[in-house]
Amino acid sequence: MNKIVFDRKVLYSTLNSAKACLSDTGLTILKCFRFKYIASENAIEVTSYNNLNEMRLIIPVIDSDCNDGQEFAVDGIRLVKLLKTVKDSIVTVKIYDKDIIFSYNGSEASFFAEDVESYPDIKIGKRGTGIRVNVNRNDLYRALKRNIGFNDISDVVTSLSGVGINFICSNNCIDICSSDKIVFVRDVIECQPDISKDLCINVMPTSVKEALSFLEMLSEENVTVSVSDDERVMSISYGDFGSVFNCTLMEVKFVNYLPLVNNIKSNFNYFIKARTNDLIDSLSRIKVMSDVYNISHFVCREEDNKMDITYTNDAGYKISENVGIEGYCQGRLDCNLNIEKMINALKVFPGDYVTLAYTNPDNNAPICIINEEGDYKLMGVVNIFKSC
């Protein structure tokens, strides 16, 4: 019998993140954690898999009485549910040939020991490395999180179905973007590439959510993002030995949006600056009065220092919101915008103020939301509808 002692909170939080890569499909092999003791680190590797992605996280142990490389596998989904209800601060794992026993506060739960041979070790860059960059973990996390929810979720897989990650190593940056055909979101973060190579990939939204769970468990300042030579696997890792997340990329490449972005930036003539929360609050009140899916009317006349947002539905409900702007309107704004999409786009921006950039709305050009700095590194493009 071998024994390992864990801090329950550390064990539970790590496994709860690793659970993102488990698949509750009924197939045992996709529901299990693989544990491996690393004596030199006095820690456990925990590995989880689904049919597309794989994740390895490191859990420090309080005490151990087992050999280096000791391995076992158990039902991960059931284990996380169990640990969530345990109140004791210490969990002891006893490893037998056929059973794995988790002891806590004088109680114990016995799990069937799954076949560890079914769970191979995770390799970093197992398909070769086509591109490799170092990036700030928090910057990467925020950029990925901002792009969740703006995806084309139709049944047909398109170039807008995922989250686009555009490695622009020639400019030392990563351009992360997504679109649901009404809203386009883009966030640019700095990186330090190993080679000067540009590449655009497409990551499934479910894989992005798993990557976020992985990044939440890391305390390191920087992580490494790499893409395999065949452009089929992206890895996020820290160090040569340690935590790693490998995800299978979409075969459909993300649409080449850079010419569109550059064209949009060069055509904006007018700008309205307003408090982000004021806009969100007004739109949220309008949403209460609206139907499930409706359009709100934005009006701002030249030289005005306020913007009127109105809504009327077929049942006769009406609401008019008056939003103050910084300075005055530089040009006429008269267009219709989707309420829900506009709220979601505004929530992406962390600053106190946002700027609405636009051209003459008569030509049906979109409105662009840009950050306070006005550098377009964080931007949202919202399609408008002509006013009647």
Side-chain angles (χ1 to χ4, degrees):
M1 184 267 291
N2 295 290
K3 183 175 71 174
I4 303 174
V5 181
F6 293 95
D7 179 295
R8 188 203 68 85
K9 288 184 178 179
V10 174
L11 179 63
Y12 171 72
S13 61
T14 307
L15 294 183
N16 195 43
S17 291
K19 187 186 70 172
C21 256
L22 295 182
S23 177
D24 195 5
T25 61
L27 299 175
T28 303
I29 191 171
L30 299 180
K31 297 168 61 177
C32 290
F33 289 132
R34 168 187 175 268
F35 295 83
K36 182 179 180 180
Y37 178 66
I38 309 298
S40 60
E41 303 289 330
N42 195 30
I44 283 282
E45 285 182 358
V46 58
T47 307
S48 56
Y49 313 79
N50 56 38
N51 57 347
L52 291 174
N53 306 329
E54 53 191 20
M55 183 187 303
R56 181 177 70 210
L57 290 169
I58 308 300
I59 310 175
V61 304
I62 296 175
D63 192 17
S64 62
D65 182 16
C66 63
N67 297 324
D68 183 37
Q70 174 71 56
E71 296 178 302
F72 62 95
V74 297
D75 185 326
I77 294 176
R78 193 183 303 274
L79 177 58
V80 170
K81 290 179 179 179
L82 173 72
L83 292 173
K84 185 178 181 179
T85 66
V86 172
K87 305 302 180 184
D88 198 11
S89 60
I90 300 296
V91 173
T92 300
V93 182
K94 300 173 184 177
I95 307 163
Y96 298 91
D97 290 338
K98 296 183 178 181
D99 299 290
I100 310 297
I101 297 177
F102 290 81
S103 302
Y104 46 89
N105 196 30
S107 304
E108 63 181 31
S110 179
F111 282 70
F112 177 71
E114 304 288 349
D115 180 17
V116 293
E117 298 298 326
S118 300
Y119 304 91
D121 194 12
I122 290 180
K123 303 293 184 183
I124 301 175
K126 61 183 179 180
R127 295 175 180 235
T129 302
I131 201 166
R132 178 185 172 98
V133 302
N134 292 318
V135 63
N136 180 274
R137 179 187 66 87
N138 289 333
D139 289 347
L140 179 62
Y141 179 85
R142 284 192 290 263
L144 291 175
K145 193 171 182 64
R146 285 169 179 152
N147 279 274
I148 282 294
F150 299 101
N151 311 107
D152 177 17
I153 55 174
S154 58
D155 293 335
V156 179
V157 176
T158 71
S159 58
L160 297 177
S161 297
V163 173
I165 301 181
N166 196 354
F167 295 89
I168 311 176
C169 296
S170 54
N171 289 333
N172 295 335
C173 68
I174 303 176
D175 197 326
I176 301 176
C177 57
S178 58
S179 175
D180 59 8
K181 296 182 180 178
I182 294 179
V183 176
F184 171 87
V185 174
R186 176 210 197 190
D187 198 353
V188 180
I189 59 177
E190 295 180 356
C191 71
Q192 293 79 45
D194 283 358
I195 57 175
S196 182
K197 178 181 177 181
D198 296 349
L199 173 68
C200 189
I201 59 175
N202 202 351
V203 185
M204 282 175 282
T206 52
S207 296
V208 173
K209 292 178 181 179
E210 293 170 18
L212 291 172
S213 294
F214 172 77
L215 290 169
E216 286 171 356
M217 291 309 304
L218 300 184
S219 58
E220 292 78 13
E221 182 179 357
N222 296 310
V223 295
T224 298
V225 182
S226 58
V227 179
S228 61
D229 283 332
D230 59 5
E231 300 179 11
R232 294 293 297 124
V233 176
M234 181 183 74
S235 298
I236 304 175
S237 60
Y238 175 77
D240 294 329
F241 165 82
S243 301
V244 59
F245 171 71
N246 293 330
C247 74
T248 302
L249 301 176
M250 297 178 62
E251 293 185 11
V252 179
K253 299 291 185 180
F254 200 85
V255 65
N256 182 11
Y257 57 89
L258 290 180
L260 170 64
V261 170
N262 293 331
N263 183 60
I264 286 174
K265 288 166 58 177
S266 64
N267 283 298
F268 288 132
N269 302 312
Y270 307 115
F271 303 89
I272 296 176
K273 185 177 181 179
R275 285 190 174 275
T276 311
N277 287 338
D278 288 351
L279 282 171
I280 293 175
D281 289 346
S282 290
L283 288 170
S284 296
R285 287 190 288 270
I286 290 175
K287 182 182 174 184
V288 171
M289 300 293 289
S290 72
D291 297 325
V292 177
Y293 182 88
N294 267 292
I295 305 300
S296 188
H297 189 195
F298 285 65
V299 177
C300 202
R301 297 174 180 84
E302 195 166 357
E303 304 299 330
D304 275 359
N305 60 358
K306 58 185 177 62
M307 178 165 52
D308 294 322
I309 310 175
T310 60
Y311 170 80
T312 303
N313 73 2
D314 295 338
Y317 290 100
K318 299 180 181 179
I319 182 170
S320 178
E321 288 281 331
N322 186 274
V323 180
I325 63 176
E326 294 293 307
Y328 59 89
C329 181
Q330 298 176 344
R332 180 177 66 89
L333 173 65
D334 187 353
C335 66
N336 294 320
L337 290 172
N338 182 288
I339 301 170
E340 181 72 23
K341 301 292 187 181
M342 188 66 176
I343 291 174
N344 291 341
L346 288 168
K347 287 181 178 179
V348 168
F349 291 81
D352 292 334
Y353 292 89
V354 292
T355 297
L356 305 183
Y358 59 99
T359 62
N360 183 345
D362 289 339
N363 61 14
N364 218 27
I367 282 182
C368 181
I369 310 171
I370 55 178
N371 53 357
E372 289 187 69
E373 294 78 11
D375 54 13
Y376 292 90
K377 287 185 177 180
L378 176 59
M379 61 182 284
V381 179
V382 183
N383 285 336
I384 69 172
F385 305 87
K386 286 184 179 180
S387 302
C388 298

